[in-house]
Amino acid sequence: MSEMKIVSGNYAAAYGSKLSRAEVVAAYPITPQTEVVEKIAQLVAEGEMDAEFIKVESEHSAMAASIAASNAGARAFTATSAHGLALMHELLMWASGARLPVVMTNINRAMGPPWSVWADHHDTLAQKGTGQLQFFCENNQEVLDSVIMAYKICEDEEIMLPAMIVEDAFILSHTKEPVEIYDQELVDDFLPSYDPDYKLDVDQPLGFGSLGMPDWYMDFRYKIFEAMEKVPEKVEEVNQEFKEVFGRDPGGLIEEYKTDGVDVLIVTMGSISSTSKDVIDELREEGHNIGLARLRTFRPFPVEKFRELIKGVNVVGVLDRNYTFGHGGDAAREIKDAIYGHHEPIVKDYIVGLGGRDLTPKILKNIMEDAIALQDKGLDKEIEWVDLKVNQKRWRR
Amino acid sequence: MADIPEKELMRKGTTACPGCGAAHAMRYVLKAVGEESIINIPACCWAVIPGVYPSRNLDIPLLYTAFETTGASSSGVRAALNAKDVDPREVTVVGFAGDGGTADIGIQAFSGCVERGTDTIQIMYDNEAYMNTGIQRSGETPYGAWTTTTPVGSEKEWKKQPKKNMMEIANAHGIPYAATVSVGHPELMIEKIKKAKEIPGPKFIHIYAPCPTGWRSDPSNTIELCKLAVDSCVFPLYEIENGEYNIYKKPKDKVPVKEYLKLQGRFRHLPGEEVEKIQKNVDREWELLLEKEKFTKRENEE
Ligand SMILES: Cc1ncc(C[n+]2csc(CCOP(=O)(O)OP(=O)(O)O)c2C)c(N)n1
Ligand code: SF4
Ligand SMILES: [Mg+2]
């Protein structure tokens, strides 16, 4: 029987791994992810979850152990945040190069210094080139749903790549919401057990990861490219199937909120999307033709979907809770990349909420009104940092 | 003494240099652990020795892993086998890393693996430097040795630090079993590894594996160097079982250390007083080891 529980985003991730029947979990604690580790440890200790929990001595080892377990044919899960994720960097690439469907949760947290444990997407986006699939969640239910779906997508033999399910520090990780914990049998039907054709097996002694000379390496990379190209379709397909089985739509590549024929399109990622949707409603009531696209799948970037979405749009206002120095906000940059040579609206990049800075409905409304105004006055600034000490008066008015 | 099993799990055709001690090491390790084993190998000479894709000369499931991860990989493989109810006495998980991959960059994962109590054999084949990248010093490079990062110029910049004692580090974890073995004593080596295989929990095997390329020694002297290392007490053969030391091969007559040093170009620059210093240190370490053996013998307890 499915059951509603009031749980944090961290617990939702833990329950997601349990329902997915992760067989090996290797994780190391870091704020604000610690509860994921603690909850899984508890579920295992109580016999509620049948998994081997490896208490590793670092995140680097967490991913290394997950990779090895996956290579030996087990469904592997891990979780981390910020500095832990950065420490894993080498192995995030190892997992994709080795074509292993390891699924992890990353709690989006700012990178130090200065030390900060609060929400910021830079940790995840700094890993965008590692061959990991990246799914940004809006609420705790979606965290749980996405873990289950990620295994289904990643273990598909045409894909065989690792994934990161990401949720915002504290705003999701420590906030309790009602979450449906599905009936195990329902999940089992949706997600069959992991049984790869090739694994470490004494009855079939194969070697994994040997030296690839220049006449081979590039072709292996091409195969990853091919797999990644198939992911968008797979995401939508699995999303559809999920909807049919569980009666819930996590949003596929991009969740569209009132986007039909809009003049102004706001793009968000993660938890700020919920408040933003309320503000969109308010503005629509005031007569503005504005809608919201929640970018759920950042890797692979839903290029085609964006090209469709921006048809007829005048202004795209992108809310980036991240900044890559010398480059810009990642979502805005990628959107511009995607639409280059197609219909090209004004794109303005709003840098918001770094290191957990609060995004109130008022600030969001000011941003959206700024975007609406661009229709008449044209683009003033390509990138605007919002709600800094020097400009707070303007954004909080 | 154990017989050497006939079955070869390492086929001919490696990319190892002539006289490579590490190649012998793998051959005997596989003979000892047998085909019901899974091995993981980080970056090191042995990431290249089995051949390049799609060739491979090892008839055993093999996982290559990142340089510093061997201990973590072993824990991961063992956990997956546990999840599938494969008994550790049925399938042995072996981590096979160099001295750099074990004692330096991999020491954290090694320590974690041992501390967690993973049922695995962690092997350090010790050629006393980073050979794969071209003979740079490691924590296992002995005092006095030339390497490319301890070059001997007018300032006499040979390695100034002593060799890191991994047996003591392993033992400090309360490891159930640790042993030093040498490729020049294959029967003894196989006996000790077979013994390790039967012991539950983490095991550590330190293999002495000369590297003619890095040691500037003649490839035909590899086995001779093994014998001299043991007979001069530079590399004593001993095991530690639950804290109890047992020197399983004591030299009848101690050979002077200079006999060992002079077969290797990496020590050629050392002046007589430095050789004396090394001799003194080896003597001291040997005496200490004898004392440890005496002190920890369980039969003395009752
Ligand atoms: C993170 C990382 N740093 C550095 C290297 C380069 N590297 C590869 S093998 C190696 C030395 C290996 O030394 P050791 O473990 O003693 O094995 P050996 O080559 O001597 O057999 C180094 C430095 C690497 N592969 N990965
Ligand atoms: S460099 Fe040394 S350890 Fe490496 S293959 Fe050659 S002899 Fe063996
Ligand atoms: Mg070495």
Side-chain angles (χ1 to χ4, degrees):
Chain A
M1 268 287 287
S2 290
E3 156 187 30
M4 279 316 254
K5 279 194 177 176
I6 312 286
V7 300
S8 65
N10 280 337
Y11 277 26
Y15 279 113
S17 74
K18 172 183 182 271
L19 286 172
S20 302
R21 292 192 187 276
E23 295 168 283
V24 174
V25 179
Y28 190 81
I30 178 170
T31 302
Q33 154 270 28
T34 36
E35 283 184 339
V36 185
V37 187
E38 291 166 357
K39 184 68 187 172
I40 292 174
Q42 189 200 349
L43 288 169
V44 172
E46 310 257 329
E48 280 184 56
M49 184 171 173
D50 188 14
E52 295 287 320
F53 188 3
I54 315 175
K55 282 119 188 170
V56 283
E57 78 300 330
S58 78
E59 289 86 355
H60 197 277
S61 285
M63 190 43 90
S66 301
I67 285 169
S70 182
N71 229 319
R75 184 171 285 159
F77 181 78
T78 184
T80 189
S81 181
H83 289 260
L85 185 70
L87 186 58
M88 280 183 188
H89 178 68
E90 178 191 25
L91 294 156
L92 297 177
M93 290 190 267
W94 196 284
S96 61
R99 307 298 299 273
L100 296 168
V102 175
V103 171
M104 67 180 292
T105 304
N106 182 63
I107 319 299
N108 289 129
R109 161 185 158 178
M111 294 296 297
W115 281 115
S116 162
V117 294
W118 295 280
D120 189 305
H121 294 168
H122 183 60
D123 58 345
T124 293
L125 294 172
Q127 307 300 338
K128 66 186 172 182
T130 54
Q132 299 267 332
L133 276 52
Q134 297 183 322
F135 300 99
F136 281 78
C137 298
E138 180 179 352
N139 54 52
N140 296 351
Q141 182 73 53
E142 193 186 328
V143 171
L144 182 142
D145 295 353
S146 298
V147 170
I148 299 170
M149 283 195 293
Y151 280 113
K152 180 122 176 153
I153 295 162
C154 295
E155 290 173 4
D156 188 293
E157 49 179 50
E158 293 203 302
I159 311 292
M160 293 300 281
L161 287 169
M164 297 166 56
I165 307 304
V166 311
E167 54 172 288
D168 291 342
F170 296 103
I171 302 164
L172 294 192
S173 70
H174 285 65
T175 306
K176 292 188 178 174
E177 294 178 340
V179 172
E180 186 175 358
I181 316 288
Y182 305 114
D183 182 42
Q184 183 67 58
E185 268 177 46
L186 208 57
V187 179
D188 289 346
D189 285 347
F190 177 77
L191 179 67
S193 60
Y194 178 51
D195 186 20
D197 291 340
Y198 304 107
K199 61 178 181 196
L200 292 165
D201 180 359
V202 290
D203 296 324
Q204 185 193 13
L206 300 171
F208 296 88
S210 51
L211 186 66
M213 299 302 275
D215 63 336
W216 275 108
Y217 183 88
M218 194 164 166
D219 299 85
F220 284 131
R221 292 282 122 172
Y222 185 74
K223 287 200 169 294
I224 299 175
F225 157 79
E226 279 185 320
M228 205 47 114
E229 289 290 289
K230 289 178 189 148
V231 174
E233 205 186 319
K234 189 61 67 184
V235 168
E236 300 288 27
E237 192 186 303
V238 171
N239 197 76
Q240 184 58 31
E241 198 185 324
F242 190 89
K243 212 158 95 183
E244 283 157 20
V245 175
F246 300 95
R248 202 168 255 123
D249 181 359
L253 294 167
I254 295 174
E255 184 206 349
E256 295 174 44
Y257 186 76
K258 305 186 177 173
T259 56
D260 266 359
V262 292
D263 297 326
V264 178
L265 182 71
I266 298 298
V267 180
T268 58
M269 290 157 77
S271 60
I272 59 167
S273 310
S274 304
T275 325
S276 300
K277 286 173 187 170
D278 285 346
V279 178
I280 292 278
D281 287 347
E282 223 179 293
L283 286 165
R284 287 177 75 92
E285 262 166 46
E286 290 169 18
H288 298 288
N289 190 13
I290 187 167
L292 180 141
R294 178 170 71 90
L295 179 49
R296 180 171 175 274
T297 308
F298 191 86
R299 275 290 175 273
F301 199 79
V303 171
E304 294 296 332
K305 196 90 199 268
F306 259 111
R307 288 177 187 163
E308 280 302 310
L309 256 180
I310 50 107
K311 276 187 189 150
V313 169
N314 300 329
V315 173
V316 180
V318 186
L319 274 62
D320 263 310
R321 191 169 212 151
N322 71 87
Y323 194 81
T324 294
F325 297 109
H327 182 69
D330 278 309
R333 287 286 177 203
E334 302 245 355
I335 289 167
K336 285 185 200 174
D337 248 24
I339 64 181
Y340 175 75
H342 295 256
H343 168 63
E344 288 180 27
I346 290 174
V347 178
K348 182 162 173 180
D349 191 4
Y350 299 91
I351 307 302
V352 298
L354 303 193
R357 187 159 296 193
D358 201 15
L359 277 160
T360 61
K362 176 150 273 171
I363 294 172
L364 290 168
K365 193 166 181 194
N366 276 322
I367 291 173
M368 293 186 205
E369 281 173 347
D370 183 83
I372 290 165
L374 297 180
Q375 293 186 103
D376 294 330
K377 69 172 188 191
L379 185 63
D380 50 355
K381 271 182 182 173
E382 240 184 277
I383 299 174
E384 176 127 31
W385 287 60
V386 173
D387 196 37
L388 294 171
K389 296 221 180 306
V390 290
N391 63 26
Q392 255 162 7
K393 270 208 186 97
R394 174 184 165 203
W395 297 102
R396 294 186 182 187
R397 72 173 165 233
Chain B
M1 242 195 271
D3 285 335
I4 298 180
E6 300 257 314
K7 176 113 185 157
E8 294 288 355
L9 292 169
M10 177 175 131
R11 276 176 278 114
K12 287 182 182 151
T14 72
T15 66
C17 316
C20 171
H24 291 283
M26 177 65 86
R27 181 163 171 245
Y28 297 135
V29 164
L30 295 187
K31 280 173 180 282
V33 296
E35 50 200 325
E36 302 291 303
S37 304
I38 295 173
I39 194 162
N40 73 77
I41 303 179
C44 57
C45 274
W46 257 104
V48 183
I49 296 174
V52 301
Y53 180 86
S55 311
R56 190 168 50 98
N57 80 326
L58 301 180
D59 288 326
I60 182 169
L62 164 58
L63 173 63
Y64 291 100
T65 183
F67 192 18
E68 61 283 54
T69 64
T70 315
S73 284
S74 292
S75 291
V77 173
R78 188 61 253 169
L81 296 175
N82 289 349
K84 314 269 181 206
D85 292 324
V86 180
D87 192 89
R89 302 280 76 71
E90 258 167 56
V91 173
T92 309
V93 176
V94 181
F96 190 91
D99 44 298
T102 307
D104 290 347
I105 199 169
I107 197 167
Q108 178 180 318
F110 171 84
S111 172
C113 172
V114 175
E115 188 274 336
R116 282 188 290 277
T118 301
D119 198 323
T120 174
I121 305 178
Q122 293 297 296
I123 288 172
M124 172 170 85
Y125 74 90
D126 185 8
N127 52 22
E128 303 194 322
Y130 304 154
M131 295 309 179
N132 184 48
T133 37
I135 327 173
Q136 295 85 25
R137 85 189 273 289
S138 79
E140 293 299 324
T141 303
Y143 176 89
W146 162 92
T147 67
T148 57
T149 48
T150 50
V152 181
S154 51
E155 299 297 314
K156 296 187 181 152
E157 274 306 320
W158 59 73
K159 167 115 187 250
K160 298 289 184 192
Q161 297 79 18
K163 187 175 169 72
K164 200 186 278 190
N165 191 333
M166 276 305 288
M167 284 290 281
E168 285 302 333
I169 290 172
N171 190 35
H173 286 74
I175 197 167
Y177 186 75
T180 63
V181 298
S182 163
V183 298
H185 302 76
E187 292 91 348
L188 287 169
M189 174 173 168
I190 285 169
E191 183 184 300
K192 298 306 170 196
I193 296 172
K194 279 190 162 171
K195 179 173 176 179
K197 188 177 146 84
E198 297 312 319
I199 296 171
K203 283 80 61 177
F204 173 60
I205 303 287
H206 181 171
I207 307 183
Y208 178 84
C211 165
T213 307
W215 294 9
R216 300 289 191 247
S217 61
D218 193 295
S220 64
N221 277 341
T222 293
I223 302 304
E224 183 60 20
L225 278 168
C226 292
K227 302 230 141 92
L228 286 170
V230 173
D231 291 343
S232 63
C233 300
V234 164
F235 191 85
L237 294 181
Y238 68 106
E239 57 194 339
I240 311 174
E241 213 173 334
N242 292 317
E244 185 176 339
Y245 287 67
N246 171 37
I247 307 169
Y248 64 83
K249 185 153 178 68
K250 291 191 178 115
K252 282 196 198 74
D253 301 298
K254 264 175 83 181
V255 174
V257 172
K258 70 170 188 289
E259 299 301 315
Y260 169 73
L261 300 179
K262 82 178 183 206
L263 289 186
Q264 306 170 60
R266 63 174 172 156
F267 295 115
R268 196 176 39 209
H269 51 274
L270 290 179
E273 70 266 21
E274 288 294 336
V275 173
E276 266 315 298
K277 208 164 132 186
I278 292 172
Q279 179 70 58
K280 275 204 183 112
N281 199 44
V282 167
D283 290 344
R284 196 179 166 279
E285 290 291 323
W286 174 247
E287 293 302 322
L288 192 60
L289 189 62
L290 289 169
E291 287 301 317
K292 284 177 190 166
E293 185 184 45
K294 231 190 289 170
F295 186 77
T296 60
K297 271 273 184 281
R298 291 257 149 72
E299 61 201 44
N300 298 343
E301 271 174 19
E302 274 117 66

